[in-house]
Amino acid sequence: MKLEVPTLASLQAEGKKASVVFWVGCAGSFDDRAKKITKAFVKILNHTQTSFAVLGTEEACTGDPAKRAGNEFLFQMQALQNISTLDQYGVTKIVTTCPHCFNTLKNEYPELGGHYTVMHHTQFLKSLIKEGSLKVEGGMYKGKRITFHDPCYLGRANKIFEAPRTLIEKLDAELVEMKSCKTKGLCCGAGGAQMFKDAEQGDKEINIERTEQALETQPEIIAAACPFCNTMMTDGIKNKKQEDTVKIMDVAELIANAKNL
Amino acid sequence: MIMGYLPNFIFLALLILGGGIFTRNILRLRRNIFLGKEAHRNDRKQQRWKHMIRIAFGQSKMGVKPLAGFLHLVVYIGFVLINIELLEIVFDGLFGTHRIFATVLGPFYNFLIGSFEILALLVLVAVILFWFRRNVVKIKRFWKAEMKGWPKFDADLILYFEVVLMLLFLSMNATDVLLQQKGVEAYVKAGSFPISQFLAPLFEGFEVGTLILLERSFWWAHIIGILIFLNYLYYSKHLHILLAFPNTFYANLEPEGKFEVDAHIKNEVLLMLNPDQASTTAQADPPEKFGSSDVFDLKWTQLMNAYSCTECGRCTEVCPANLTGKKLSPRKIMMDTRDRLEEVGKNINANGGTFNDDEKQLLNNYISPEELWACTSCNACVDACPIAIDPLSIIMDMRQYLVMEQSAAPQELNAMMGNIENNGAPWPFSNQDRLQWSNE
Ligand code: SF4
Ligand code: SF4
């Protein structure tokens, strides 16, 4: 099935508007694993006939990794450029599959003049279900043991714990919690620009520690809601040689698969 | 005749001395805290009051660890309530009276003293359990690297102080009750002594004269002990009993993921991108320094955070970097900030009110870049802190200094930032390929 991915520029040329902008993010655009999440989410958007558009080549890094690495200047350069692009199209509502983009757009752009309603894709999917445009039933995940890894920038940082869990429960799956979850969730090790560098000297990698916590729940699937967490946990599972038995899946992928999209 | 008032004068002198040193220390503390930069935390007063009442007064975050939370609550309530007794001690000491409240309060006095005694016992038990947790069970967070030496000794010393004060209080009552029974003049029959009655047999064999001497000694030792403890606060993590309140009041109320957007830098960026929007007045001048390398660059709220830290290690215990053996410990970040600030404060004291450059700073002399770069900005430490301390903001401010003033980021991060600058993504992919996924 060919994906329908209109850009804001193409819609504008046709004199049309989108009701929500899907902010794909750098990982979602370039990282092979994350691209699958992007596509799964778009499949759902297409399936529900949601009016959306992407920025395409006009999107640029939100500046989150630069800011957290200490480069406030570069962050603000990115932010102001993105804000000017978004405002030029009169964007008011944004959905994103990346909690880092979500946090930055939602919390840090307003002070630089960018005011939007920003939603994480788990919140957005939940709202689609509530509206009735998306119907989710267990399907292939019925009864499966799924544990959910809270992304720091979705959970602790923005107190969104329920949306992803609600979606997992809609799959009729058995949701099992790790010993540290929700506000106590342990980081996957990628945040604060760590994704882009080697860890400091220590006795363990953070993603291994988190993977072990996840494996303690004996899951069939570790659900994630962040492309970076996904990478870290996938590496962790490979390190534990469990990649054949335990899958790391984004919540959007679970839903798209359950619906055979 | 004058000699008769000697104890009153000595008491007054002690009170003035104790109160005086305490006031001096508090003023120094205040001065040191305000070496920090302005923080805009005077908004949303109502919400701030609620925050303080819930977290500091109501100890809402202590319940996460139920046993420690409960024991802490006992000591906290005991501490606050037994201090009502202090009021009577001060009156008695100044006016040469004995149990002055007894005549004023009547039967209620018995209830009051009885409750204080029970509280004193509970505090004693709690404190002993605390000591056990620290020294016998050896709970891991109390034995991390940064707790060696003074911090460990300080933590134990506080417990010993409390044990001694409670024992003095109960012994004072035990001897008092015997003197009351013997009908000794001035020892009014007042109070109920549910706990100290069990201590009384220890003193039963003594003569009245010895008993009076003992009772007076306990009484004086108790109040002197309290004055010493009061003045010990400034040098100890125990300062949190005072600072937890302003610290939670002036805490960050924004979502934890929202990091401060620097207004000075905003203006610089605007000057480059849209000069017409840049401010020409307020915040127009670039700051002397981007980020923080020393305590002077931090905000006063961050410095107050440092003085408030109880060294409980709840932050470090959940820090993913620390959990996996990295050098970073958010508690150490706070302790280092405080120790450096104290060093600066002493320098100012010694130099008649001005700071003489000591060629040291918080960065490198206390906190190494290795620690700063190990942080994942996950906010676990911020969330775990029982009194709303934010170690992460200090880490981020110091990273900002490293990057913006010293270009001293790890090589891979420089590459990442170079990519963002050149092609708008942290990886070296062309922006023209951003939509390729849709065709794959
Ligand atoms: S924010 Fe940084 S210092 Fe705090 S717990 Fe997370 S990694 Fe540790
Ligand atoms: S910062 Fe907070 S959690 Fe950490 S040691 Fe200090 S008081 Fe405890």
Side-chain angles (χ1 to χ4, degrees):
Chain A
M1 194 177 75
K2 173 111 179 68
L3 295 175
E4 285 295 326
V5 193
T7 60
L8 277 173
S10 67
L11 286 185
Q12 196 179 47
E14 297 168 33
K16 289 193 211 148
K17 280 199 165 245
S19 59
V20 61
V21 167
F22 171 27
W23 186 276
V24 182
C26 300
S29 306
F30 296 117
D31 179 86
D32 285 335
R33 177 68 189 86
K35 281 194 260 186
K36 294 186 182 149
I37 303 170
T38 306
K39 285 192 251 181
F41 184 59
V42 169
K43 282 179 192 163
I44 303 172
L45 293 177
N46 285 167
H47 168 79
T48 53
Q49 296 180 334
T50 302
S51 144
F52 81 102
V54 299
L55 278 164
T57 55
E58 289 183 281
E59 186 185 296
C61 173
T62 59
D64 159 85
K67 184 173 175 69
R68 271 121 192 117
N71 198 336
E72 179 72 10
F73 195 83
L74 179 55
F75 158 68
Q76 293 199 12
M77 292 282 281
Q78 292 298 117
L80 286 174
Q81 287 171 22
N82 281 324
I83 290 169
S84 108
T85 312
L86 289 164
D87 288 353
Q88 184 195 317
Y89 288 110
V91 172
T92 55
K93 193 171 171 191
I94 302 174
V95 60
T96 173
T97 43
C98 173
H100 296 267
C101 297
F102 166 73
N103 177 70
T104 305
L105 292 165
K106 178 175 181 284
N107 292 321
E108 289 162 359
Y109 274 33
E111 242 154 276
L112 295 165
H115 301 274
Y116 318 103
T117 306
V118 187
M119 291 176 96
H120 185 250
H121 70 306
T122 55
Q123 293 176 297
F124 191 79
L125 292 173
K126 193 180 151 189
S127 71
L128 289 183
I129 293 176
K130 206 170 160 213
E131 276 164 21
S133 50
L134 179 65
K135 298 206 168 28
V136 182
E137 272 151 25
M140 63 191 290
Y141 298 113
K142 197 170 168 137
K144 287 252 192 296
R145 254 177 109 78
I146 303 183
T147 188
F148 178 68
H149 164 77
D150 287 281
C152 301
Y153 276 88
L154 184 68
R156 205 158 28 238
N158 289 295
K159 304 285 176 278
I160 296 166
F161 304 110
E162 290 320 315
R165 289 181 169 77
T166 311
L167 297 175
I168 293 170
E169 277 160 4
K170 287 267 180 236
L171 296 168
D172 295 329
E174 182 192 354
L175 177 65
V176 279
E177 296 290 355
M178 291 183 236
K179 69 173 179 201
S180 43
C181 62
K182 301 185 186 171
T183 50
K184 306 275 163 265
L186 180 71
C187 178
C188 70
Q194 297 294 343
M195 183 72 193
F196 305 98
K197 64 185 258 302
D198 285 327
E200 275 57 36
Q201 179 70 40
D203 47 37
K204 201 177 198 177
E205 294 291 340
I206 296 172
N207 65 328
I208 303 294
E209 176 76 21
R210 186 53 167 169
T211 304
E212 286 170 0
Q213 289 188 358
L215 289 176
E216 275 172 25
T217 67
Q218 298 179 315
E220 286 158 278
I221 293 163
I222 299 172
C226 167
F228 297 103
C229 297
N230 196 310
T231 303
M232 292 312 247
M233 299 303 280
T234 304
D235 288 350
I237 285 291
K238 279 188 191 142
N239 180 285
K240 295 273 160 199
K241 306 212 182 338
Q242 299 257 359
E243 66 264 40
D244 295 330
T245 46
V246 182
K247 298 279 170 241
I248 319 291
M249 305 279 280
D250 192 273
V251 178
E253 293 178 300
L254 293 176
I255 292 189
N257 287 350
K259 293 192 69 72
N260 288 318
L261 292 177
Chain B
M1 191 54 213
I2 274 290
M3 280 306 286
Y5 289 111
L6 194 59
N8 309 42
F9 281 119
I10 295 176
F11 188 85
L12 183 66
L14 280 175
L15 219 51
I16 293 175
L17 185 71
I21 303 176
F22 179 69
T23 312
R24 187 202 63 179
N25 284 346
I26 291 294
L27 290 174
R28 281 186 178 165
L29 183 79
R30 207 185 121 84
R31 178 202 66 196
N32 293 355
I33 287 174
F34 285 119
L35 290 175
K37 292 203 153 45
E38 204 187 329
H40 303 281
R41 298 267 173 90
N42 274 314
D43 56 336
R44 294 177 274 178
K45 286 266 158 58
Q46 212 185 349
Q47 206 184 336
R48 295 192 174 281
W49 280 108
K50 277 191 195 148
H51 198 252
M52 182 180 91
I53 287 171
R54 198 179 70 236
I55 297 182
F57 197 73
Q59 307 207 345
S60 61
K61 291 200 149 199
M62 289 298 289
V64 178
K65 294 180 186 294
L67 177 63
F70 176 71
L71 296 177
H72 187 268
L73 195 67
V74 167
V75 177
Y76 165 69
I77 293 176
F79 179 87
V80 173
L81 290 183
I82 296 172
N83 275 338
I84 301 176
E85 164 78 4
L86 204 59
L87 211 62
E88 181 180 52
I89 292 178
V90 170
F91 275 119
D92 283 347
L94 287 177
F95 303 119
T97 48
H98 189 71
R99 296 196 179 269
I100 190 171
F101 287 178
T103 34
V104 189
L105 298 175
F108 183 63
Y109 186 76
N110 294 356
F111 169 76
L112 217 56
I113 297 293
S115 324
F116 293 159
E117 285 216 340
I118 292 168
L119 281 170
L121 178 71
L122 288 174
V123 169
L124 212 51
V125 172
V127 165
I128 291 168
L129 287 175
F130 273 145
W131 187 89
F132 242 76
R133 285 161 53 85
R134 255 175 211 277
N135 294 291
V136 182
V137 184
K138 298 206 177 185
I139 289 178
K140 223 162 118 199
R141 63 189 157 108
F142 299 136
W143 291 85
K144 294 259 171 187
E146 66 269 21
M147 294 306 286
K148 293 221 171 73
W150 169 250
K152 164 82 177 73
F153 185 64
D154 175 33
D156 287 335
L157 204 56
I158 293 164
L159 299 177
Y160 299 143
F161 247 119
E162 280 165 358
V163 168
V164 170
L165 287 178
M166 291 304 122
L167 286 179
L168 284 170
F169 174 69
L170 291 172
S171 312
M172 170 181 105
N173 283 351
T175 42
D176 197 292
V177 79
L178 286 176
L179 289 162
Q180 288 184 25
Q181 281 162 10
K182 291 187 198 291
V184 179
E185 206 204 323
Y187 286 91
V188 279
K189 282 210 163 53
S192 72
F193 304 93
I195 307 299
S196 60
Q197 58 175 341
F198 297 106
L199 282 179
L202 286 177
F203 304 104
E204 221 131 51
F206 293 115
E207 315 221 329
V208 169
T210 322
L211 272 180
I212 295 181
L213 188 70
L214 279 172
E215 190 278 332
R216 287 290 84 195
S217 307
F218 292 144
W219 188 91
W220 281 96
H222 179 242
I223 182 68
I224 292 171
I226 286 175
L227 288 175
I228 294 175
F229 198 37
L230 182 71
N231 279 298
Y232 177 67
L233 289 186
Y234 178 70
Y235 306 94
S236 162
K237 67 161 188 134
H238 213 52
L239 197 50
H240 78 276
I241 64 169
L242 302 177
L243 286 183
F245 294 89
N247 199 68
T248 43
F249 185 85
Y250 290 107
N252 178 22
L253 300 178
E254 299 292 334
E256 283 166 10
K258 178 178 175 178
F259 292 11
E260 196 153 0
V261 172
D262 191 298
H264 289 289
I265 298 174
K266 178 176 167 187
N267 210 55
E268 299 264 295
V269 178
L270 278 175
L271 278 172
M272 286 183 63
L273 294 177
N274 327 323
D276 47 314
Q277 284 176 27
S279 158
T280 44
T281 51
Q283 294 155 339
D285 301 325
E288 343 151 9
K289 192 188 214 173
F290 290 116
S292 307
S293 65
D294 206 353
V295 287
F296 305 99
D297 313 323
L298 293 168
K299 299 204 175 54
W300 71 266
T301 43
Q302 293 171 309
L303 300 183
M304 181 165 65
N305 272 187
Y307 271 127
S308 310
C309 175
T310 74
E311 299 173 9
C312 70
R314 286 160 192 249
C315 51
T316 294
E317 185 182 55
V318 295
C319 170
N322 193 276
L323 272 173
T324 53
K326 318 289 190 291
K327 247 180 93 183
L328 171 63
S329 160
R331 166 172 57 189
K332 177 175 174 288
I333 299 288
M334 300 321 299
M335 292 167 72
D336 284 344
T337 305
R338 178 200 57 206
D339 292 348
R340 169 59 183 160
L341 184 54
E342 264 303 287
E343 181 177 60
V344 166
K346 285 196 187 114
N347 179 315
I348 295 176
N349 297 341
N351 293 301
T354 49
F355 177 69
N356 273 13
D357 189 7
D358 58 358
E359 293 184 358
K360 282 199 204 168
Q361 53 176 0
L362 182 59
L363 181 68
N364 297 325
N365 296 97
Y366 288 82
I367 300 173
S368 65
E370 182 187 338
E371 292 162 70
L372 298 172
W373 290 117
C375 174
T376 72
S377 76
C378 72
N379 262 307
C381 53
V382 181
D383 207 87
C385 181
I387 49 173
I389 289 172
D390 182 355
L392 174 55
S393 69
I394 296 180
I395 296 172
M396 283 299 140
D397 287 352
M398 292 183 78
R399 275 192 185 180
Q400 210 176 83
Y401 173 84
L402 283 173
V403 171
M404 298 189 65
E405 292 287 342
Q406 305 213 305
S407 306
Q411 192 39 48
E412 305 129 292
L413 290 188
N414 280 331
M416 176 271 286
M417 292 187 281
N419 287 328
I420 294 181
E421 227 172 310
N422 297 325
N423 45 274
W427 298 287
F429 293 115
S430 161
N431 216 41
Q432 290 315 306
D433 296 337
R434 262 202 188 256
L435 212 47
Q436 271 205 353
W437 56 267
S438 65
N439 304 314
E440 286 169 2

